[in-house]
Amino acid sequence: MNYSVLFFDSGIGGLSVCQEAMRQNGNINPLYLFDNLCFPYGIQPDDVVIRRVVDLIQRFTSAIHVDLVVIACNTASTVALEQVRKSVTIPIVGVVPAIKPASKITRNGVIGLLATPATIRRKYTMDLINAFAHDKTILKIGTSELVEIAERKMIGLPYDAEIISHVLNEWTCGDVRPDTVVLGCTHFPHLRDEIQKVLPEVVLVDSGDAIARRIRYLLENEKEKNCENTENSVTEVITEPTAYCTDIRKLNSELISGFRKFGFSDLRIFA
Ligand code: DGL
């Protein structure tokens, strides 16, 4: 049996989570919803992000059969997870910065957190640091420039690689340098090689593996509940990997072929 898993993000970043989930779980049919009308989330006010994420996930799961939702976006998860969980009955997995694993990996006790400007300032992120890395030094860089670069790379547009070294400058030149860096935005694993080139000695940590394992656990353990949902459902069942975006003006051939590379043969509008 194949499970319909909805991956949600503002843009293409969540595909890094989707890819790892598919690698570890052979029984997933991925659906991918991204809110490119409001991209990037990292510079939006919190209430805008909460409203959009709750509304889109609620309407999508009322129209289309979904067994599990993955909010494959740190910026959305760290502010909207609780409200989304209250608004739908389907299990929800959130993606948040991998502070806990990073604090076990670091040897010099200095962790870099690379995320969007919004994730950097969130209470959720501060709580994670206080709970799992209160005895470590955390150096934060909040950037939307790298988010934009990841989008350009994915759809085959040229980008200025110099920007990556510029953004990471304080970790390559500063007196205190991290030996472990958390990729706290799902766009950044798409730039893993480029980031590693600038920070060759550093261990890069993301949440992909942990999320893929969590998905497997939930699909195995929520099986009966999911089957019940399917039987009673009046929602449309999509059986092929299908992506949906919210901005028709950005639905162009580059985006379609970008998604094809990730196995999505169809890109539709969900407005
Ligand atoms: N991919 C997202 C994240 O994990 C958000 C990027 C953005 O829209 O700013 O944070």
Side-chain angles (χ1 to χ4, degrees), residues 9-10 13 39-43 72-75 116 119 144 147 184-187:
D9 188 23
S10 57
F39 172 89
Y41 273 4
I43 56 166
C73 172
N74 296 261
T75 311
T116 65
T119 300
S144 285
V147 176
C185 168
T186 55
H187 278 73

Side-chain angles (χ1 to χ4, degrees), residues 7-19 32 70-77 94-97 114-116 119 146-147 150-151 183-192 206-208 211:
F7 295 85
F8 175 88
D9 188 23
S10 57
I12 53 96
L15 286 171
S16 64
V17 179
C18 176
Q19 255 184 325
Y32 192 86
V70 181
I71 304 181
C73 172
N74 296 261
T75 311
S77 297
V95 176
V96 299
L114 187 63
T116 65
T119 300
L146 297 194
V147 176
E151 292 275 323
L183 301 179
C185 168
T186 55
H187 278 73
F188 300 161
H190 295 290
L191 297 175
R192 181 178 279 275
D206 66 55
S207 309
I211 297 301

Side-chain angles (χ1 to χ4, degrees), residues 114 141 163-172 195 198-199:
L114 187 63
I141 294 179
I163 295 176
I164 301 173
S165 10
H166 180 73
V167 167
L168 299 173
N169 185 47
E170 56 190 87
W171 292 347
T172 52
I195 294 170
V198 178
L199 303 169

